[in-house]
Amino acid sequence: MTAQEHPTVPATDGLDALDGFVRRTTVHGIPTLFAPSSDRRITAGLTFRVGHADETLPTRGITHLVEHLALHHLGLSDLHYNGATAITYTLFHVTGDEDEVVTYLNGVCAALRDLPMGRMETEKEILRTEAGGRGKGPLSRMPLWRYGAQGYGLGSQDEFGTWSLTADQVRDWAETRFTRDNAVLFLTADRVPDGLDLTLPAGRRFPTPPVTSTLPVTPAWLHGEDGHVVFTSVVRRSTAASVFAEVLGRALFQDLRQKGGYSYSAEADCSPRDADFATVTAYADALPQKQDAAVGGFVDAFARLRAGRIEQSELDSARGKLLKRYDVPDLGAALLPSYALSLLTGHRILTPDQYREELRAVTVEDLRGVAREAWDGGLLQVPGAGADWAGLTQAPHFSPSGVSGTLHPSLEDDDVTLIIGAAGVTLSTPAGLVTVRYDACAAMTTRPDGGRCLIGLDGFQVIVEPTLFGDVTAERIAVLDKSVPPAAIVPLPARPAAEIPQPREGAVPRPPAGTRKSTVRGESLMTRLLRAGRRK
């Protein structure tokens, strides 16, 4: 391409602050940022403002599937390339010489224009295999408990779309989300390479998803796995918030590992969520016999920061660590990915000098304010006992109300009843109700044997197994299939007979009213279904 084909982008979106540090242009309508690097190779990234949080539960994984399809043509290659699908963005990146970078970017855009749909079912299976081997860590449930089974909560959910997505859905997603108007390109080079063909359809820049919440009161707590203490919160994005995360991580390390000896890992992080807010995450591990002490130390460390009992040396150490990140060669090239993401999401763009100035201006009182904001909006996952003693409220484990309808007693526990109604389904237990209403159903999976799992937008789920409840006939299952919106239905393949749940051995049907309750050994149906009914 000639220089005339790369016109200078007008000074918008705060990019004028980067003049003389990072250059900018457009390539086939795609905003492009570039800065030189001493590395003879070029690193390039084509970033789109679309990710998991833009999907629905039935289409969960569609962005990841498009990414896989767009990279299939590369096959086996010695080129250093990859793709990544995150919560709010998708990135195609490559490192190589100029010809390799041009070939890669051109190939990605060509594939996005005409996805190899003949590969779709194979790539779906690959994604399911990838998910099966990925595992879930102690932080995996936190988005779902905060946001529900939608938006930012979908990062906790399985990729249901790998079972049910159609070719038309995938093509439409690529044509509307992977467009030139929803993209930013960055390159570590002193010029835009010749030969680029990044032609993509026109579209629009998608804003980040709306924020939902399932927490009526914060700070809140929930039960988690043994050996792990996890805290997350949402705070306003600021330089002070970044410094606070460093101070918090150091405080946890000192209190829980160095002083108390309760934990091996104790750390904290602050990562962008959208243009205006960030997620603060803190984590500590502990042996089972020390986890109560670890929780206590965790809460105490936070209380100290909230009270403003922060040494100037703590602030100075954290500030010094963050300043060092800007003391690297080829700084402009190193900051290109973060600038591209800020441009995509609409976050303010600062030069290194502006950021250093803000860092130096952060005070202990600023950190105290962030600590209070983080705690007030916090969600704490604790092992063992709860955290009411620390002033937190237990996150909702049950629905506020149920539905009326036909009653279907369990076949092994007469304290548990499934209700199938005209408005939704409810699992009634002595501990509480779990309800999913049809008009707030995020997804319902179906099995040919009649098994159904309804998941609400709030993240609660009710499992309907005809083999475990009385009188759940084909007619009652048909009520579910007719009432749940078609777009929310996710058909799953048939299960082997051995995987269809059956009443526990030794269990007996619910006795008639007035007779003695039978006592059976093993885990009760209520326990199993409540575990499934809680958000996970």
Side-chain angles (χ1 to χ4, degrees):
M1 290 187 176
T2 64
Q4 286 74 22
E5 291 176 280
H6 300 308
T8 299
V9 176
T12 59
D13 300 306
L15 290 173
D16 53 325
L18 302 180
D19 284 347
F21 180 64
V22 170
R23 298 179 63 187
R24 61 190 189 276
T25 185
T26 59
V27 178
H28 290 103
I30 298 174
T32 301
L33 307 177
F34 59 104
S37 168
S38 55
D39 191 337
R40 290 183 300 174
R41 300 176 303 168
I42 297 173
T43 293
L46 183 58
T47 312
F48 294 89
R49 221 308 293 144
V50 60
H52 302 322
D54 299 283
E55 302 165 350
T56 63
L57 186 51
T59 64
R60 174 75 172 87
I62 190 171
T63 311
H64 197 183
L65 181 57
V66 171
E67 176 220 311
H68 269 232
L69 291 170
L71 293 177
H72 166 67
H73 70 283
L74 290 167
L76 291 175
S77 173
D78 294 330
L79 186 63
H80 181 68
Y81 74 92
N82 210 337
T85 303
I87 295 297
T88 58
Y89 68 90
T90 300
L91 170 65
F92 298 95
H93 60 95
V94 61
T95 297
D97 62 31
E98 184 171 306
D99 290 341
E100 290 172 331
V101 168
V102 168
T103 299
Y104 172 83
L105 292 174
N106 288 358
V108 167
C109 289
L112 290 173
R113 293 193 300 269
D114 185 16
L115 290 175
M117 301 309 298
R119 284 283 305 179
M120 187 176 75
E121 295 305 319
T122 300
E123 293 298 335
K124 283 183 181 180
E125 189 169 356
I126 291 172
L127 291 181
R128 292 195 294 268
T129 302
E130 179 184 341
R134 191 161 43 229
K136 295 183 178 180
L139 278 70
S140 62
R141 300 193 308 157
M142 301 300 278
L144 186 64
W145 278 83
R146 180 176 292 275
Y147 300 109
Q150 56 185 318
Y152 294 99
L154 291 178
S156 299
Q157 295 289 79
D158 293 334
E159 293 181 332
F160 282 3
T162 59
W163 294 107
S164 58
L165 285 168
T166 67
D168 286 343
Q169 286 177 300
V170 176
R171 287 195 192 95
D172 179 72
W173 196 255
E175 291 171 358
T176 56
R177 267 68 175 183
F178 290 84
T179 67
R180 62 173 181 258
D181 298 296
N182 203 37
V184 171
L185 171 68
F186 64 84
L187 302 133
T188 60
D190 57 4
R191 64 180 182 84
V192 175
D194 294 332
L196 285 173
D197 181 7
L198 308 187
T199 303
L200 289 172
R204 65 183 179 89
R205 177 69 53 79
F206 280 83
T208 49
V211 177
T212 57
S213 176
T214 63
L215 298 174
V217 178
T218 57
W221 68 269
L222 68 145
H223 286 291
E225 298 177 357
D226 279 350
H228 305 285
V229 184
V230 182
F231 175 89
T232 64
S233 189
V234 177
V235 300
R236 287 163 293 181
R237 285 183 71 173
S238 66
T239 302
S242 299
V243 178
F244 167 75
E246 287 291 332
V247 171
L248 175 61
R250 288 165 181 262
L252 293 175
F253 185 83
Q254 291 173 354
D255 292 357
L256 301 184
R257 176 169 173 169
Q258 294 183 322
K259 295 179 182 179
Y262 311 135
S263 303
Y264 175 77
S265 296
E267 55 198 17
D269 173 70
C270 182
S271 59
R273 187 192 69 182
D274 51 35
D276 300 315
F277 291 90
T279 301
V280 171
T281 302
Y283 169 80
D285 57 8
L287 293 173
Q289 62 268 30
K290 292 188 175 182
Q291 57 192 21
D292 288 343
V295 173
F298 199 103
V299 171
D300 288 345
F302 232 113
R304 177 173 70 83
L305 301 184
R306 288 159 52 211
R309 297 197 302 272
I310 304 170
E311 299 293 334
Q312 185 65 39
S313 59
E314 294 180 278
L315 169 55
D316 292 340
S317 295
R319 179 162 37 215
K321 181 178 178 180
L322 293 175
L323 283 170
K324 287 180 179 178
R325 296 179 183 177
Y326 281 70
D327 187 18
V328 296
D330 306 323
L331 181 58
L335 292 176
L336 286 175
S338 64
Y339 283 149
L341 188 57
S342 292
L343 182 57
L344 277 175
T345 60
H347 182 60
R348 63 184 185 136
I349 292 177
L350 299 177
T351 66
D353 286 342
Q354 289 172 326
Y355 182 69
R356 292 187 187 102
E357 183 179 350
E358 288 198 0
L359 268 177
R360 295 187 181 103
V362 173
T363 66
V364 167
E365 188 59 31
D366 293 332
L367 299 185
R368 180 188 185 189
V370 178
R372 290 181 169 182
E373 181 185 12
W375 183 259
D376 289 345
L379 178 61
L380 180 65
Q381 178 179 290
V382 296
D388 300 90
W389 58 269
L392 287 80
T393 302
Q394 187 175 18
H397 281 60
F398 296 98
S399 303
S401 62
V403 300
S404 59
T406 56
L407 306 182
H408 304 273
S410 80
L411 299 181
E412 41 174 57
D413 191 331
D414 60 2
D415 289 325
V416 177
T417 300
L418 173 69
I419 306 168
I420 300 178
V425 294
T426 292
L427 185 68
S428 175
T429 78
L433 305 175
V434 179
T435 298
V436 177
R437 297 183 178 273
Y438 304 133
D439 60 2
C441 182
M444 180 179 75
T445 62
T446 67
R447 296 283 190 180
D449 56 55
R452 300 290 186 265
C453 177
L454 294 88
I455 305 172
L457 292 172
D458 59 5
F460 284 115
Q461 63 181 24
V462 174
I463 296 175
V464 179
E465 293 285 4
T467 53
L468 297 182
F469 294 95
D471 300 322
V472 180
T473 61
E475 288 75 18
R476 300 314 296 158
I477 293 298
V479 171
L480 305 180
D481 295 345
K482 180 180 179 181
S483 302
V484 172
I489 296 177
V490 180
L492 298 180
R495 296 178 283 189
E499 294 183 9
I500 299 175
Q502 301 295 331
R504 289 172 298 110
E505 184 178 354
V508 296
R510 182 173 182 169
T515 62
R516 185 181 298 274
K517 184 195 307 183
S518 298
T519 301
V520 294
R521 293 179 296 175
E523 185 179 67
S524 71
L525 173 73
M526 182 178 75
T527 302
R528 283 186 279 155
L529 291 180
L530 278 180
R531 182 182 297 115
R534 295 188 182 111
R535 291 167 288 192
K536 60 181 180 178

